Amino acid sequence: MKIAIAQGDGIGPEIMTAVLSLFDAAGVPLEYVPVDMGEMGI
Amino acid sequence: MPPVFRWNTYPLIWGKWVFDKGFNNGMTPEAQQTIESLGILFKGPMETPKGKGVKSVNVTARKTWNTYANKRVFKTLHGVETVFSKAGIPIDLTIVRENIEDTYGGIEHMLTHDVALSRRFITRPGSEQVIRYAFEMAQKKGSHRITCGHKANIMKITDGLFLEVFYEVAKEYPDLKADDVIVDDLWMKLVTRPDLFDVVVLTNLQGDIVSDLCAGLVGGLGFAPSANIGDHICIFEAVHGTAPDIMGKNIANPTALLLSGLALLRHVGLMGHAARIKNALLYTLESGARTGDFGDKNKPALNTTEFIKTIIDNLGKTPAHGARPLLEDKPITPTQYKLEKNPLIMSEELMQEKIVGADFFVESEEQPQLVADKILAGLNTKFDLVTISNRGTQVWPKGSVFTNLVNQYRCRIESKGTEPCSQEEILQLYQHMMKVFKVCSIELLNMWGEKKGYSLAQGQ
């Protein structure tokens, strides 16, 4: 299953990367599609 | 659709400014299309550029995709010290906030150079969507109480409608204890006895304020997950700010985003994965592991990567408090919808509607009696000038000379005996009014059966 990911601005990319690395380590069966959104976009 | 990545292989590209590229809603058309086709968005905090005349991308996203319910769960986390954890008072609150309507339409006007007016939308179908969601959710989680927070004693028409719908829906859930509390009283009770409440549903602005208040009860926005629920698209996000002062330093607390991500996993049916990660998080917090923004300052703070690594190492462990049962994953809930046209949500009109007059908002620096005299001279005999108010307080036919005036009056003209009248007749009234005043705004007075669709002036 795919979900859209907007990592956000400021600390957004750091905490998003952290959370998704935890999901990957726990074997969460999701795939992530990055989207261009917010001040910084992708 | 852009390529799909496992996140750890995804290359970070910096410096593309979505707003600067001319997308004033803060997202590219490709982003919108991707989100609409996938149905689920997991998002970090976003900045709205200030002074560029653009609206918040957070609010735009919620409104565009009709995520009508904002669900935020506030629960005591062992290892996160608060006034209440020290007092041994457990907190487990779920705030459901209406997410589309209210003053968040941002429909605002200056009526005169001194007077600004905001329009506040509360609709029956919009209220029903969020209230029904709150009841369904409360029932599923076995809640003991569901409370409607409101200010219907003052906003009799708008919050009155929200409250009316709340009790209509409540009839379908006889096993749930449903009650209501006026919002100022609710806020006082939440900071003194938060353990008395379970699920609370509110309109948008009041819900916005109360949910940040509740975040404070459990340790701040760093521990407050948020889910925006709609029929077709759901957004899971951290509601804290973008913290540009610590950006790039790898010291931010990822807990709120993680908790929002776990709500996402449960939403799509991945109950087992969500429980296993939640237990690892709770175990980690109990062990005293912390980022710099919370916990025992005598212990060294971990950076974001180390904090997450600790949670990963704790996968499979069980916390002493609040361990989640390791449910099986459910089949993944489909989240892809295709819509051909905008859904219209509306209720059945049960009573005959009629127009019985209009409120004219006019600019004037004159005294109330003079304003009344000007209107009454040559007024169509089918109509009465019923009341004139200033900032909602009646100043004519009765009032007090101690009431301060601003340069804008609301003049209510009703048909005698609430006889139905046509829009044509209202237009003639407008033409009468504009001869003597600048008319800033006009609002029709509607009735359904014997029920007036407008409030009385203070003192009327």
Side-chain angles (χ1 to χ4, degrees):
Chain A
M1 178 187 189
K2 294 173 189 174
I3 63 166
I5 301 284
Q7 55 185 0
D9 304 313
I11 56 170
E14 302 158 46
I15 56 175
M16 184 61 82
T17 301
V19 169
L20 295 182
S21 67
L22 169 56
F23 282 10
D24 279 356
V28 170
L30 292 176
E31 290 179 292
Y32 308 116
V33 184
V35 293
D36 206 1
M37 196 173 169
E39 195 168 44
M40 274 308 183
I42 301 182
Chain B
M1 183 174 294
V4 172
F5 298 94
R6 293 306 293 234
W7 198 257
N8 48 11
T9 63
Y10 178 64
L12 290 180
I13 306 162
W14 290 89
K16 286 162 76 183
W17 294 70
V18 177
F19 289 101
D20 287 348
K21 282 187 283 187
F23 302 113
N24 270 352
N25 61 355
M27 66 183 111
T28 60
E30 295 77 23
Q32 179 167 354
Q33 196 190 2
T34 302
I35 295 160
E36 288 178 1
S37 71
L38 295 178
I40 293 204
L41 171 65
F42 187 28
K43 73 182 267 299
M46 280 177 193
E47 199 67 54
T48 301
K50 288 170 188 70
K52 292 188 184 178
V54 293
K55 295 205 173 187
S56 155
V57 63
N58 300 307
V59 177
T60 304
R62 290 173 209 156
K63 291 172 69 86
T64 307
W65 295 315
N66 209 71
T67 60
Y68 49 76
N70 178 224
K71 177 194 179 195
R72 293 170 69 179
V73 178
F74 305 98
K75 210 166 175 172
T76 304
L77 291 164
H78 291 268
V80 182
E81 273 213 341
T82 66
V83 176
F84 293 99
S85 69
K86 284 181 196 162
I89 299 173
I91 296 175
D92 185 359
L93 284 166
T94 303
I95 306 294
V96 179
R97 160 191 170 191
E98 197 286 317
N99 222 6
I100 312 283
E101 305 188 340
D102 202 337
T103 45
Y104 284 67
I107 303 173
E108 302 197 316
H109 299 88
M110 295 296 296
L111 295 193
T112 74
H113 71 278
D114 273 346
V115 179
L117 181 73
S118 172
R119 288 184 177 229
R120 179 172 194 256
F121 276 93
I122 300 292
T123 72
R124 172 172 281 279
S127 301
E128 191 175 331
Q129 280 183 323
V130 64
I131 289 167
R132 199 169 283 287
Y133 167 79
F135 272 91
E136 272 300 304
M137 187 269 304
Q139 190 170 56
K140 266 191 208 144
K141 86 178 191 89
S143 298
H144 60 85
R145 180 181 184 190
I146 179 166
T147 306
C148 179
H150 63 87
K151 196 74 184 171
N153 54 330
I154 303 296
M155 295 180 281
K156 292 183 168 67
I157 302 282
T158 48
D159 270 19
L161 176 59
F162 192 78
L163 187 59
E164 185 179 308
V165 173
F166 175 82
Y167 281 115
E168 282 171 16
V169 175
K171 282 185 203 146
E172 299 170 35
Y173 298 85
D175 299 335
L176 266 172
K177 186 190 168 214
D179 59 5
D180 70 279
V181 182
I182 291 177
V183 75
D184 39 335
D185 188 27
L186 173 70
W187 289 346
M188 184 189 68
K189 286 182 170 132
L190 280 171
V191 296
T192 49
R193 288 298 305 275
D195 51 321
L196 296 179
F197 294 92
D198 190 338
V199 174
V200 184
V201 60
L202 304 106
T203 52
N204 204 341
L205 178 61
Q206 294 164 21
D208 187 7
I209 299 166
V210 83
S211 43
D212 275 22
L213 177 139
C214 290
L217 303 179
V218 295
L221 289 176
F223 301 94
S226 172
N228 298 288
I229 307 291
D231 287 339
H232 305 103
I233 294 172
C234 295
I235 306 168
F236 298 84
E237 63 183 344
V239 287
H240 55 64
T242 57
D245 53 322
I246 58 164
M247 163 186 173
K249 293 185 178 167
N250 192 32
I251 57 171
N253 177 0
T255 308
L257 188 65
L258 173 54
L259 290 169
S260 304
L262 296 180
L264 185 162
L265 298 189
R266 286 192 294 272
H267 181 80
V268 299
L270 295 169
M271 316 307 270
H273 283 88
R276 188 157 163 267
I277 298 170
K278 180 73 181 277
N279 285 345
L281 167 69
L282 295 178
Y283 185 93
T284 303
L285 294 173
E286 279 177 4
S287 75
R290 66 184 195 94
T291 49
D293 56 312
F294 74 100
D296 183 352
K297 300 285 177 207
N298 295 318
K299 288 190 176 178
L302 303 178
N303 68 30
T304 312
T305 320
E306 291 163 343
F307 184 71
I308 285 290
K309 174 75 168 49
T310 310
I311 302 173
I312 292 172
D313 291 342
N314 288 332
L315 282 168
K317 294 184 180 160
T318 308
H321 302 277
R324 286 300 179 95
L326 290 172
L327 304 171
E328 291 284 307
D329 283 346
K330 290 182 191 162
I332 283 185
T333 315
T335 55
Q336 300 196 13
Y337 299 91
K338 211 170 159 54
L339 291 181
E340 300 298 333
K341 55 181 184 178
N342 292 62
L344 171 69
I345 50 171
M346 71 178 283
S347 69
E348 196 186 343
E349 191 172 21
L350 297 169
M351 299 288 228
Q352 183 68 38
E353 179 192 277
K354 64 177 176 181
I355 301 169
V356 296
D359 276 354
F360 289 87
F361 297 75
V362 302
E363 181 168 353
S364 172
E365 295 156 32
E366 291 151 335
Q367 287 293 305
Q369 186 57 53
L370 194 58
V371 173
D373 290 343
K374 280 182 164 183
I375 296 169
L376 289 167
L379 181 67
N380 180 336
T381 52
K382 179 176 176 169
F383 294 96
D384 283 327
L385 177 61
V386 176
T387 176
I388 298 176
S389 68
N390 195 294
R391 290 190 286 175
T393 305
Q394 178 172 284
V395 290
W396 186 94
K398 284 190 182 129
S400 163
V401 77
F402 290 95
T403 305
N404 284 5
L405 303 175
V406 298
N407 66 347
Q408 186 269 308
Y409 288 98
R410 187 268 308 262
C411 311
R412 173 161 294 171
I413 299 178
E414 272 181 10
S415 62
K416 292 190 167 98
T418 64
E419 272 295 301
C421 50
S422 65
Q423 289 195 80
E424 193 81 54
E425 286 171 302
I426 301 298
L427 186 63
Q428 286 158 9
L429 284 176
Y430 188 105
Q431 282 164 341
H432 170 67
M433 296 294 281
M434 64 183 250
K435 282 180 201 145
V436 276
F437 299 109
K438 178 192 143 196
V439 178
C440 311
S441 179
I442 172 172
E443 207 69 66
L444 293 180
L445 303 176
N446 295 306
M447 287 182 73
W448 283 268
E450 290 307 304
K451 197 175 169 185
K452 287 182 173 174
Y454 48 96
S455 60
L456 299 182
Q458 200 71 41
Q460 190 184 345

